[in-house]
Amino acid sequence: MNQAWKNIRADFPILDQQVNGKPLVYLDNAATSQKPQCVIDALTHFYQHVNANVHRGIHTLSMRATFAYEAARERSAKFLNAAESGEIVFTAGTTDSINLVANSWGDENLKKDDVILLTEMEHHSNLVPWQLLARRTGARLRFLPVVPGDTGLLDLAQLDKVLTSEVKIFAFTHVSNTLGVINPVTQLCARARAVGAISVVDAAQSAGHLPLDVQTMGCDFLAVSGHKMCGPTGVGLLYGRKVLLDAMPPYRGGGSMISNVDYFESKWAPAPQKFEAGTPNIADVIALARAMDYLDDLGREAIALHDEKLASLAYARLAAEIPGIRMLGPADHRSGVISFDLPGVHAHDVVTMADQEGVALRGGHHCNQPLMRKLGLSSTSRASFYLYNTEDEIARLVTTLQKIHGFFAG
Ligand code: 7TS
C-alpha cells in the first residue's frame, strides 16, 4: 500500500458523520460510491474559474473548458488503455452507454432471427435495452445460464451451446452487482469474436474496482458509470472500437454532432462527437477525470485486493456467525459485493434495522429480478465494500446482523 492509502477516510468528508446516533458505516457502494474531496473540489473549481460551453467559443473561458473536457477524454482513454481518445464517448452512465450501442449498432446491424446473447445475471440496464432492440428488429434473446446453486458462477460449459453463429451481440456484465462474481471477460470476448459477434461489457461494477485494459480484454464496447468509481452522478462513458464507432449512425441528433446541416439533411461529425449531441455534462466529465487520477494514485490492483479481502472476510464471518444465513456468490476470488438472505426476515426489514445502527445496506431485487426468481428469492440484503471500508466496519456489520437475527428469532 502506498502513501495515498494513509488517512484515506479523511479524503471522504461524508463518512465522518453519525447516522441515527451511530458512526456511519457506508456499505452501499454498489449503488453509488462516495466522492473524495478532490472530486468535489474539481466541480467547484470548474464552476468558479472555468465554466463556459465547449467546442463552440473562441473566448478564453470557452477554450479552457474545451481543453479540460478533451483532456478528460484523453485521461479516460488512458484509464482504460484504449488505443486513442476517439474511442471514448461521454454519456450519462452505463445505462445510457448500453442504450447507445443497442440503438445505434443494434438497429443498423441486427435483423430478424439474429440472436442477442446475454447472461442470466444481467442488471436490468443490460437486459431491457436488448429486449427493446429485439422487439424493433425481430432478433431473439438467449441466455448463458449461471450454474445451479448459490455460487453465482456462469456455466461456461454451456457456452458452446448458446454462443452459435446466429449470435451477433454478446453482452455481459464484468462483475455482478448482486452476486459479486467476476466473470472471465477476456475469455468471453474472445469467444464472441470467434463466432463473429460483437462483445458489449457492462463495467458498471468493475471500473474503479479492478484494473481494466480494453485492448487486453479484447472487447468491442465497454460501458462505465462515473458515480460508482468516486466520480459524480449523471456521467459515464462508452468505450467503442474506433472502426465500429466510425461505421455507426448517430443515436441522438442536435447541435455539436454535425459537420454540416441543411434544411432537409445533415452530415455527421466524426466519432466520438457524432454521439455527443447538445451541450455535454462538462463539469462532471472533468471531475470524473479527477476521480480517475485519484484511483490510479491508490492503484487499481491495490483497490481490487482491498475489496476482495474485505468481502471474503465479511462472507466468511457472516456465514459462520449468523445462524441460518444464506450467502450468495462465491466465497472468494470475488468483488466487493456480497448478498445474503436471512430466512424469515424481509430484506427491507434488515436494511431498516441496520440503518438504525448507522449501517447503510441495500435491500431489494437490485435491478436483477429474473436472477432473483431463478434463485427462488424476491429480494436479498446486500453489503458492498469499497476502498474506504475497514475491518472494524465488518465487525459492526456482523454485530448488527446478529442483533437483527436475535430480534426476529426471539
Ligand atoms: N450494470 C450494473 C452491473 C449495475 O450494477 C448498474 C447499477 C448498472 C448497470 C446501471 O448503472 P447506472 O449508473 O446507469 O444506473 N447498479 C445499481 C445497484 O446495484 N444498486 O443501485 C444501482
Side-chain angles (χ1 to χ4, degrees), residues 233-257:
T233 50
V235 68
L237 59 85
L238 173 71
Y239 157 81
R241 275 205 303 128
K242 194 64 172 30
V243 281
L244 297 174
L245 291 179
D246 284 344
M248 282 158 57
Y251 164 40
R252 296 187 178 117
S256 297
M257 50 73 72

Side-chain angles (χ1 to χ4, degrees), residues 30-31 94-95 123 125 173 177 202 204-205 225 227-228 362 382:
T94 301
T95 304
H123 186 280
S125 286
T173 193
N177 67 314
D202 174 346
Q205 297 292 347
S225 291
H227 69 99
K228 294 186 199 286
R362 185 178 171 194
R382 183 181 73 181

Side-chain angles (χ1 to χ4, degrees), residues 28-32 92-98 121-126 172-178 202-206 223-228 233-236 337 362 365-368 382 384:
D28 195 17
N29 294 287
T32 199
T94 301
T95 304
D96 196 28
S97 298
I98 294 171
M121 66 171 76
E122 297 312 314
H123 186 280
H124 297 168
S125 286
N126 200 26
F172 55 88
T173 193
H174 189 180
V175 169
S176 161
N177 67 314
T178 294
D202 174 346
Q205 297 292 347
S206 60
V224 172
S225 291
H227 69 99
K228 294 186 199 286
T233 50
V235 68
V337 180
R362 185 178 171 194
H365 54 62
H366 313 295
C367 298
N368 259 156
R382 183 181 73 181
S384 47

